[in-house]
């Protein structure tokens, strides 16, 4: 509770600060929109929507960060799972920090390459929105800025020449990579967002600084980006909107997270969270661009000491999707990106200090790529509806009313009225958006048949708490007019055999639909639908039930479902632009035709009866995942029916505690005999860091020596006079960091950290030291990363970590000479394959023992559940053989058994050299560490390594460590390739 309150308060304060410093009023903007020269004509727009190759398009997008799933061969899986939702776009950030670990050396290859991401998107038929920063925020260390920026003088995200010059190589390089993949070159990229949330600044920075933003735009254009530029204002602040002159983007956009990031009690949606002025504000700010939200809440994150991440999936659940997303449709949104749709994993120190190793985000697709959250299915209902409703794109929002459109003032209705096409959309929700009441109503609508109050056949409609509905009028079903429907449209298709319209409603709700037709309705499946002909319409009324009804009216078959059944329907596209409708289970990915065969691909987590509705006339046979499947054709509907059998395979999951673990000391530095002559000397007498004034004789900021991520070790040498009493050391390593210190091998004590404490001043009592004797104080500290730089002018990213100050009672500060280390090589990092952030400064990390086949000869046999008996760090490694049957997608995670939380220790988990988890027993909350296939070899051997740091005199051990397998999914996914994973080799110069 304590933490959640604080986090909320912090978020509010943070947004408050930013809001207070905004200048510029949208109403004073000069519109010179018409002067804009487009650099290309493939992606164009008007006030309603984008046009791609001249065709209007709803951009329904999900945010995915490829680098949060560093297995390129799995990216297609994500794209297909997103495409199956009915989305057509994915938006991605690029984390500069991972690509330019050393200034001047840009590297985007191996797991960091973008070309495979673009290829996978193209293969799945997904467009891309590129958002490469340089600043991204994104809950990554330093908001994506490389650590070396701490050493520049100029202010971050301002027009300072050294800052801008520092971004040049990155923007030019990533820009060129993205430029090649633009739709104008046949690639998937349709939009580009430079900068991110350029929305708040404080003096001494100039804010907003139009010349700065123009320079950012110029850089991007110079790199070859010709697609339209969007921004991502943190609210409807009007920053950089078209018409503002210098520094304006092509399409104005802002983000929105209505229910915030406090998942501690997921039933709480903050009062007044939902905006009702979106349309009017947007028209004022940018009347000629489509309404764009490049980040709309798709989940939330959890801080150290916070809540298990599943709670964020509960907060932003299917109900939130209904209420919040439909409110966007009520504002006429036509470019909507849901942040996150697949969150992924904060592996290898890439995450920010405000969070832990998963970035699951409670998103529609879980970090382990499974899609069992109901919100995945709900998102599909909405995206497929919009995909099937081109008229929505030109419909225009009108004012919300609580009195005009229903007979119940507790409901708010926003009509989105057809302009260029007749269809209109009445979006209904509770006026108090987070109400949990069940409310009944009659709906007043304007149709081509005049004003109507529905239901016409009697009874009342129902809106449950935390629900919202889109009631359509004059809706075009391939030439047949649906005069209105109170049940929601999932999709419709025009097949060779006739038209199919799928409607769904919530459990037990009364619904009515009116179809313009004089044909006589026939009920071909189910019971409980009343039909009546009124004024050239067939009116259907029913109460939603779990059993399906089908009513045939002329060449239109109306399928009537409850929502839970609708979740099982999929609408895979065919190459010719048509589609089939498939009722199945877990996932239908793709459909294709070859000769007389319809080929489907999909995944199954249970024995699944399936039905194919609208198979092309030419198709006589069916394959699923390449296997012929028996089908029966229904006499009444013409659909194909069959069954996919699922037989749960036996999966042998090794007991991790029974592996042949080998162990060795991971902190030889505390021994007096240890020689640190090869270590960098902390001898810089000045620092270029502009954030903090140096108060020590030489800088001990880790960034001054190129050490930015993972564990840091300091060694302070002095010759005793006998006058010493205490040393007080002020360290900063950020939230949940910890320290331990030794003097000549004697434990001085540890600070096991706190979820919300990022710096501490600790006084060590030295006892009686021997005059003339050499002493060395060894301090190990966890470095959780640098701040972001959200507020321009704060330069918060430059706030350094490490030892920031010390006092040596009885002696001078300068009596201590310091050495320090972080990862071997610092910015000249050794492991170019796993990137600049993956490893920290522990002895085994510097040696490279966390990789496969470390030199364990002479190490003792000991396991993490045996542990160590005093403060210190142990290193463990073991070989793990896996024999997961091919063709099965089995989520695997390493599970730490939660030990009593007063046991103070932390661990790092390495799998085949990739760091996939930071566990802190006394802080939590994460105990399950998902590791993707591709990092794990599912059919062969793996090296697991663990560092165990006991921060208490009694030592520490893991209570338990196991490999946990989720439900095996029979999958269409093929060719998951192992990522490059160099084995251990003796490292030159390793100390
Ligand atoms: C917004 C950022 O743009 C994005 O990078 C990410 O940090 C997201 O929030 C939260 O997950 S910033 C915020 C003020 C909403």
């Amino acid at each position: 509770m304590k933490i959640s309150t604080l986090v909320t308060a912090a978020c509010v304060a943070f947004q408050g600060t930013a809001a207070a410093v905004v200048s510029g009023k949208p109403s004073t903007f000069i519109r010179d929109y018409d002067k804009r020269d487009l650099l290309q004509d493939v992606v164009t727009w008007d006030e309603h929507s984008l046009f791609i190759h001249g065709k209007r398009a709803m951009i329904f997008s999900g945010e995915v960060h490829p680098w949060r799933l560093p297995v390129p061969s799995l990216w297609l899986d994500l794209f297909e799972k997103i495409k199956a939702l009915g989305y057509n776009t994915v938006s991605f950030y690029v984390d500069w920090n991972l690509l330019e670990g050393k200034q001047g050396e840009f590297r985007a290859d191996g797991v960091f390459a973008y070309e495979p991401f673009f290829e996978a998107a193209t293969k799945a038929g997904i467009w891309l929105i590129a958002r490469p920063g340089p600043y991204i925020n994104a809950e990554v260390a330093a908001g994506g800025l490389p650590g070396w920026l701490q050493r520049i003088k100029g202010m971050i995200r301002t027009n300072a020449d050294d800052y801008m010059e520092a971004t040049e190589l990155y923007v030019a390089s990533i820009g060129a990579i993205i430029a090649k993949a633009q739709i104008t070159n046949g690639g998937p990229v349709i939009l580009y967002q430079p900068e991110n949330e350029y929305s708040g600044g404080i003096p001494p920075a100039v804010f907003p600084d139009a010349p700065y933003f123009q320079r950012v735009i110029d850089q991007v254009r110079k790199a070859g980006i010709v697609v339209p530029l969007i921004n991502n204002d943190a609210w409807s602040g009007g920053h950089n909107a078209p018409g503002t002159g210098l520094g304006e983007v092509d399409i104005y956009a802002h983000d929105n997270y209505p229910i915030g990031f406090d998942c501690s009690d997921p039933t709480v949606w903050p009062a007044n969270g939902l905006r009702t002025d979106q349309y009017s504000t947007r028209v004022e700010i940018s009347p000629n661009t489509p309404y764009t939200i490049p980040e709309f809440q798709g989940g939330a994150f959890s801080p150290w000491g916070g809540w298990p991440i599943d709670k964020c999936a509960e907060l932003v659940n299917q109900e939130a999707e209904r209420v919040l997303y439909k409110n966007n449709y009520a504002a006429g949104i036509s470019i909507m990106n849901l942040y996150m749709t697949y969150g992924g994993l904060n592996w290898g120190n890439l995450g920010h200090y405000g969070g832990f190793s998963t970035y699951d985000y409670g998103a529609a697709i879980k970090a382990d790529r499974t899609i069992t959250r109901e919100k995945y299915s709900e998102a599909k209902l909405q995206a497929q509806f919009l995909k099937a409703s081109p008229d929505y794109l030109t419909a225009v929002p009108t004012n919300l009313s609580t009195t005009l459109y229903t007979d119940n003032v507790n409901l708010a209705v926003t009509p989105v009225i057809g302009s260029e096409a007749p269809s209109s959309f009445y979006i209904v929700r509770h006026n108090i958006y987070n109400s949990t009441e069940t409310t009944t109503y009659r709906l007043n609508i304007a149709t081509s048949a005049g004003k109507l109050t529905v239901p016409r056949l009697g009874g009342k409609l129902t809106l449950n708490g935390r629900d919202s509905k889109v009631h359509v009028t004059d809706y075009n079903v391939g030439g047949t007019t649906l005069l209105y429907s109170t049940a929601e449209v999932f999709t419709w298709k025009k097949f060779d055999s006739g038209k199919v319209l799928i409607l769904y409603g919530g459990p037990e709700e009364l619904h009515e639909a009116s179809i313009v037709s004089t044909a006589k309705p026939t009920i071909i499946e189910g019971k409980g639908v009343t039909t009546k002909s009124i004024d050239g319409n067939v009116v259907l009324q029913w109460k939603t039930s779990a059993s399906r009804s089908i009513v045939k009216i002329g060449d239109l078959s109306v399928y009537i479902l409850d929502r839970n059944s609708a979740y099982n329907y999929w609408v895979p596209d065919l190459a010719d632009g048509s589609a089939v409708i498939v009722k199945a289970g877990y996932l239908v990915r793709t459909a294709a035709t070859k000769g007389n065969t319809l080929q489907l691909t999909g995944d199954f987590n249970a024995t699944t009866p399936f039905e194919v509705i609208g198979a092309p006339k030419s198709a006589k046979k069916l394959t699923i995942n390449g296997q012929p499947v028996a089908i029966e054709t229904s006499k009444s509907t013409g659909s194909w029916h069959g069954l996919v059998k699922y037989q749960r395979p036996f999966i042998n999951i090794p007991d991790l505690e029974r592996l042949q673990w080998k162990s060795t000391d991971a902190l030889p530095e505390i021994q007096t005999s240890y020689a640190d002559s090869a270590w960098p000397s902390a001898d810089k007498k000045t620092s270029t860091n502009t954030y903090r004034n140096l108060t020590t004789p030489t800088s001990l900021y880790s960034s001054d020596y190129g050490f930015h991520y993972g564990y840091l070790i300091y060694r302070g040498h002095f010759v005793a006079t006998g006058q010493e009493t205490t040393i007080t050391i002020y360290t900063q390593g950020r939230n949940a960091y910890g320290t331990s210190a030794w003097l000549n091998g004697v434990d001085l004590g540890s600070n096991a950290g706190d979820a919300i404490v990022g710096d501490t001043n600790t006084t060590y009592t030295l006892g009686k030291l021997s005059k003339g004797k050499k002493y060395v104080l060894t301090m190990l500290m966890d470095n959780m990363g640098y701040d972001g730089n959200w507020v321009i002018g704060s330069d918060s990213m430059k706030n350094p970590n490490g030892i920031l100050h010390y006092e040596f009672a009885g002696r001078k500060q300068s009596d201590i000479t310091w050495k320090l280390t972080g990862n071997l090589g610092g910015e000249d990092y050794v492991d170019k394959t796993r990137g600049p952030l993956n490893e920290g400064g522990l002895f085994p990390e510097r040696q490279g023992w966390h990789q496969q086949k470390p030199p364990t000869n002479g190490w003792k046999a000991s396991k993490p559940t045996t542990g160590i008996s005093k403060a210190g760090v142990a290193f463990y490694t073991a070989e793990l053989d896996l024999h997961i049957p091919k063709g099965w997608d089995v989520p695997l995670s390493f599970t730490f058994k939660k030990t009593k939380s007063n046991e103070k220790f932390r661990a790092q988990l390495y799998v085949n050299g990739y760091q996939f988890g930071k566990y802190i027993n006394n802080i939590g909350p994460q105990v399950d560490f998902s590791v993707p296939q591709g990092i794990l070899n599912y059919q062969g051997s793996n090296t697991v390594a663990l560092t165990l740091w006991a921060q208490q005199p009694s030592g520490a051990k893991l209570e338990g460590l196991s490999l946990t397998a989720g439900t095996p999914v029979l999958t269409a996914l093929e060719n998951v390739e192992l990522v490059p994973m160099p084995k251990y080799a003796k490292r030159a110069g390793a100390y």
Side-chain angles (χ1 to χ4, degrees):
M1 275 312 279
K2 184 186 88 187
I3 287 162
S4 62
T5 324
L6 275 165
V7 169
T8 321
C11 279
V12 170
F14 164 72
Q15 298 208 356
T17 328
V21 293
V22 176
S23 62
K25 267 253 167 358
S27 52
T28 63
F29 293 169
I30 312 149
R31 314 247 174 245
D32 66 347
Y33 177 77
D34 297 336
K35 287 191 226 143
R36 178 166 304 281
D37 288 324
L38 286 186
L39 300 166
Q40 44 78 41
D41 59 5
V42 180
V43 185
T44 57
W45 68 90
D46 65 7
E47 73 274 31
H48 298 301
S49 76
L50 284 190
F51 295 82
I52 305 223
H53 290 297
K55 197 167 170 252
R56 267 195 199 287
M58 169 81 202
I59 301 301
F60 206 121
S61 171
E63 181 85 5
V64 171
H65 302 151
W67 34 275
R68 277 181 157 131
L69 180 67
V71 184
S73 56
L74 288 176
W75 293 336
L76 181 65
D77 181 50
L78 297 178
F79 285 126
E80 287 187 346
K81 283 171 175 162
I82 290 170
K83 177 84 174 175
L85 287 169
Y87 297 19
N88 53 10
T89 306
V90 157
S91 157
F92 66 99
Y93 275 142
V94 179
D95 189 355
W96 177 14
N97 204 359
L98 290 165
L99 305 184
E100 199 179 343
K102 180 173 189 185
Q103 184 169 18
E105 289 184 15
F106 176 89
R107 245 191 205 90
D109 47 21
V111 301
F112 303 109
Y114 279 82
E115 291 79 4
F117 189 66
F118 301 149
E119 279 160 27
T122 304
K123 185 159 185 212
I126 287 277
W127 289 317
L128 294 175
I129 302 173
R131 309 196 305 138
Y135 186 68
I136 59 170
N137 212 60
E139 290 73 70
V140 291
L145 303 172
W148 47 260
L149 279 173
Q150 283 211 348
R151 297 193 300 267
I152 69 163
K153 286 229 164 65
M155 265 195 191
I156 306 280
R157 300 176 72 193
T158 70
N159 213 359
D161 284 336
D162 58 350
Y163 171 70
M164 286 307 296
E165 279 156 20
T167 65
E168 286 288 335
L169 175 67
Y170 170 67
V171 179
S173 310
I174 196 70
I177 291 171
I178 294 169
K180 272 195 209 133
Q182 292 176 108
I183 192 164
T184 48
N185 296 326
V189 176
I190 55 166
L191 294 171
Y192 187 104
Q193 181 199 306
E195 253 287 3
N196 185 52
E197 290 198 314
Y198 187 71
S199 303
I202 49 171
V206 176
F207 185 86
D209 183 355
Y212 160 71
F213 211 92
Q214 187 60 48
R215 203 162 157 189
V216 168
I217 290 174
D218 293 346
Q219 271 184 328
V220 164
R221 292 301 190 200
K222 201 171 138 206
I225 300 299
V226 296
V227 294
L229 302 183
I230 61 168
N231 66 332
N232 182 28
D233 211 353
W235 60 91
S236 300
H239 296 104
N240 308 105
T244 50
L246 206 60
E248 64 183 47
V249 293
D250 297 312
I251 296 174
Y252 176 76
H254 69 85
D255 67 19
N256 191 214
Y257 293 80
I259 52 178
F261 303 99
D262 179 356
C263 316
S264 58
D265 180 351
T267 63
V268 177
W269 294 3
N272 307 317
L274 201 70
R275 286 187 54 185
T276 53
D277 63 343
Q278 283 172 286
Y279 178 67
S280 55
T281 316
R282 174 240 137 181
V283 168
E284 204 188 332
I285 292 174
S286 189
N288 299 312
T289 59
Y291 188 34
T292 304
I293 303 191
E295 281 179 33
F296 192 79
Q297 183 151 27
F301 54 91
S302 173
W304 284 111
W307 39 85
I309 199 64
D310 279 341
K311 283 201 162 189
C312 294
E314 286 173 48
L315 176 72
V316 191
N317 65 358
Q318 61 283 356
E319 294 173 340
E321 290 182 324
R322 279 172 211 138
V323 176
L324 308 182
Y325 301 176
K326 288 177 188 177
N327 190 57
N328 287 343
Y329 314 148
I333 194 166
S334 69
I335 303 178
M336 178 166 86
N337 176 49
L338 297 167
Y339 188 102
M340 299 296 298
T341 292
Y342 171 77
L345 301 160
N346 288 334
W347 64 281
N349 299 308
L350 72 79
H352 71 156
Y353 62 71
F356 35 94
S357 301
T358 186
Y359 194 65
D360 174 278
Y361 214 81
I365 304 175
K366 285 169 78 164
D368 64 9
R369 297 181 289 102
T370 58
I371 48 170
T372 46
R373 288 179 174 148
E374 188 176 339
K375 63 187 292 185
Y376 177 87
S377 304
E378 171 60 32
K380 178 176 63 174
L381 299 186
Q382 296 185 29
Q384 292 291 358
F385 162 60
L386 290 174
K387 189 173 174 184
S389 309
D391 290 359
Y392 162 79
L393 288 174
T394 48
V396 178
T398 58
N399 290 334
L400 164 156
S401 171
T402 54
T403 53
L404 292 176
Y405 308 106
T406 73
D407 54 356
N408 194 324
V409 292
N410 294 322
L411 299 179
V413 181
T414 310
V416 180
I417 300 293
S419 64
E420 292 169 22
S423 309
S424 294
F425 305 82
Y426 288 74
I427 289 122
V428 180
R429 63 167 168 83
H430 279 98
N431 189 34
I432 296 173
Y433 88 108
N434 59 2
S435 165
T436 54
E437 299 294 310
T438 296
T439 306
T440 57
Y441 62 107
R442 283 154 59 86
L443 180 72
N444 306 319
I445 47 177
T447 72
S448 55
K451 288 190 173 166
L452 299 174
T453 296
V454 297
R456 288 197 280 178
L457 304 186
K460 285 215 158 196
L461 307 173
T462 311
L463 186 75
N464 286 318
R466 305 236 165 142
D467 195 2
S468 172
K469 290 180 186 174
V470 183
H471 298 311
V472 297
T473 61
D474 286 294
Y475 185 85
N476 184 355
V477 184
T480 300
T481 301
L482 177 61
L483 188 67
Y484 63 84
S485 173
T486 69
E488 292 184 273
V489 173
F490 169 57
T491 191
W492 62 267
K493 287 288 159 208
K494 201 169 171 178
F495 297 122
D496 297 342
S497 51
K499 298 170 199 159
V500 168
L501 166 68
I502 301 186
L503 300 176
Y504 68 93
E508 303 289 305
E509 290 170 357
L510 179 82
H511 282 294
E512 198 173 273
S514 189
I515 293 108
V516 179
S517 172
T518 48
K520 198 175 148 357
T522 11
I523 295 181
I524 56 173
E525 190 177 308
K527 44 183 186 293
V529 181
T530 307
T531 65
K532 192 174 175 190
S533 292
I534 306 179
D535 301 338
N537 272 244
V538 176
V539 182
L540 311 176
Q541 194 185 78
W542 68 93
K543 199 164 196 181
T544 306
S545 90
S547 67
R548 174 170 91 177
S549 296
I550 304 175
V551 185
K552 200 157 195 305
I553 304 155
D555 69 345
L556 173 70
S557 298
V558 184
Y559 283 58
I560 294 173
L561 309 176
D562 71 339
R563 189 192 288 125
N564 283 344
S565 308
Y567 287 160
N568 290 324
Y569 286 67
W570 305 86
V571 199
D573 292 331
L574 287 165
D576 64 0
S578 68
V580 287
I581 298 174
V582 182
K583 179 188 175 226
Y586 185 73
L587 172 66
V588 174
R589 293 171 186 265
T590 63
T593 49
K594 194 174 179 196
N596 66 355
T597 305
L598 176 68
Q599 305 170 316
L600 296 179
T601 66
D603 291 18
F604 302 87
N605 64 356
T607 291
T608 307
F610 68 85
E611 181 178 349
V612 178
I613 303 165
K617 234 195 218 143
S618 59
K620 306 285 176 240
K621 295 190 213 160
L622 177 71
T623 61
I624 295 182
N625 299 344
Q627 301 298 313
V629 185
I631 42 171
E632 272 178 40
T633 306
S634 155
K635 287 211 178 66
S636 55
T637 62
S639 298
W640 294 353
H641 291 259
L643 186 75
V644 172
K645 286 211 183 105
Y646 171 97
Q647 207 169 16
R648 200 185 168 111
F650 170 72
I651 291 173
N652 182 13
I653 298 296
D655 178 350
L656 294 187
E657 292 179 35
R658 301 181 72 146
L659 302 181
Q660 303 290 308
W661 289 95
K662 291 281 198 144
S663 178
T664 188
D665 180 27
L667 202 61
E669 294 90 344
I670 64 176
Q671 295 159 23
T672 30
S673 58
Y674 178 84
D676 60 20
S677 47
W679 287 35
S681 296
D683 56 3
K684 291 193 165 47
K685 293 207 166 60
T686 55
S687 174
T688 50
N689 190 295
T690 55
Y691 193 88
R692 258 190 81 88
N693 287 330
L694 214 56
T695 60
T696 50
T698 58
S699 170
L700 297 176
Y701 306 156
S702 69
S703 50
D704 275 338
Y705 303 91
F707 300 121
H708 306 295
Y709 315 99
Y711 292 178
L712 295 169
I713 308 179
Y714 286 86
R715 298 192 97 224
H717 297 262
F718 61 92
V719 178
T721 59
Q723 304 303 305
E724 301 79 4
T725 52
T726 59
I727 296 185
T728 301
I729 302 184
Y730 176 54
T731 52
Q732 176 157 271
R734 300 317 176 63
N735 295 12
Y737 88 116
T739 63
S740 291
W742 290 264
L743 186 70
N744 281 9
V746 176
D747 182 5
L748 293 180
S750 295
N751 166 16
D754 182 293
I756 51 167
V757 175
D759 55 338
T760 22
N761 212 14
T762 308
T763 299
Y764 300 101
T765 306
L766 302 178
K768 181 79 188 133
L769 304 188
S770 313
K771 186 171 178 203
K773 189 171 166 189
K774 285 184 179 165
Y775 285 88
V776 54
L777 184 133
T778 304
M779 172 169 276
L780 170 65
M781 65 178 282
D782 203 349
N783 174 7
M784 314 303 277
Y786 302 133
D787 244 336
N789 207 102
W790 199 89
V791 178
I792 287 104
S794 68
D795 247 6
S796 49
M797 180 269 160
K798 291 187 188 163
N799 191 346
N801 287 342
I803 293 180
L804 304 189
H805 183 68
Y806 61 93
E807 308 273 348
F808 195 8
R811 299 287 301 272
K812 297 199 299 289
Q813 271 186 326
S814 58
D815 289 342
I816 307 183
T817 54
W818 292 91
K819 294 241 168 177
L820 87 165
T821 192
N823 66 303
L824 185 66
E827 289 164 16
D828 284 307
Y829 57 101
V830 181
D831 189 347
K832 301 290 189 265
T833 306
R834 299 178 184 93
L837 278 60
N838 186 56
E839 57 192 55
L842 276 180
F843 189 82
E845 294 177 300
R846 300 190 318 255
Q847 304 304 317
W849 293 346
H850 52 286
Q851 302 172 100
Q852 282 172 302
K853 310 275 187 279
T856 55
N857 271 346
W859 295 9
K860 64 174 186 240
S862 179
K863 52 188 180 180
T865 44
T866 304
I868 49 175
S869 56
K870 57 182 188 199
V873 188
F875 182 76
Y876 298 92
T877 182
E879 291 297 293
L880 166 68
D881 286 343
L882 292 175
H883 305 281
I884 310 287
K886 287 207 166 163
W888 292 87
D889 195 1
V890 184
L892 289 181
S893 59
F894 289 78
T895 306
F896 287 70
K897 189 168 178 192
K898 185 100 179 82
T899 314
K900 279 195 247 71
S901 56
N902 57 358
E903 293 290 326
K904 300 183 175 92
F905 66 88
R906 53 187 68 207
Q908 300 182 109
L909 170 73
Y910 278 99
V911 177
N912 293 328
Y914 287 83
Q915 192 255 81
F916 262 87
K918 282 178 94 114
Y919 173 83
I920 308 181
N921 186 64
N922 47 306
I923 295 178
Q926 193 179 1
V927 293
D928 251 322
F929 294 83
S930 172
V931 180
Q933 185 179 358
I935 296 292
L936 271 170
N937 182 353
Y938 272 29
Q939 286 98 28
S941 70
N942 297 276
T943 301
V944 179
L946 196 94
T947 61
L948 174 67
W949 175 4
Q951 296 189 283
Q952 55 192 8
S954 54
K957 64 179 168 73
L958 299 190
E959 201 54 39
L961 180 66
S962 54
L963 195 59
T964 317
T967 304
V969 174
L970 183 60
T971 185
L973 184 65
E974 286 179 329
N975 308 324
V976 181
E977 286 165 28
L978 285 183
V979 300
M981 42 180 73
K983 291 185 174 43
Y984 167 77
K986 198 168 160 42
R987 289 181 168 180
Y991 49 80

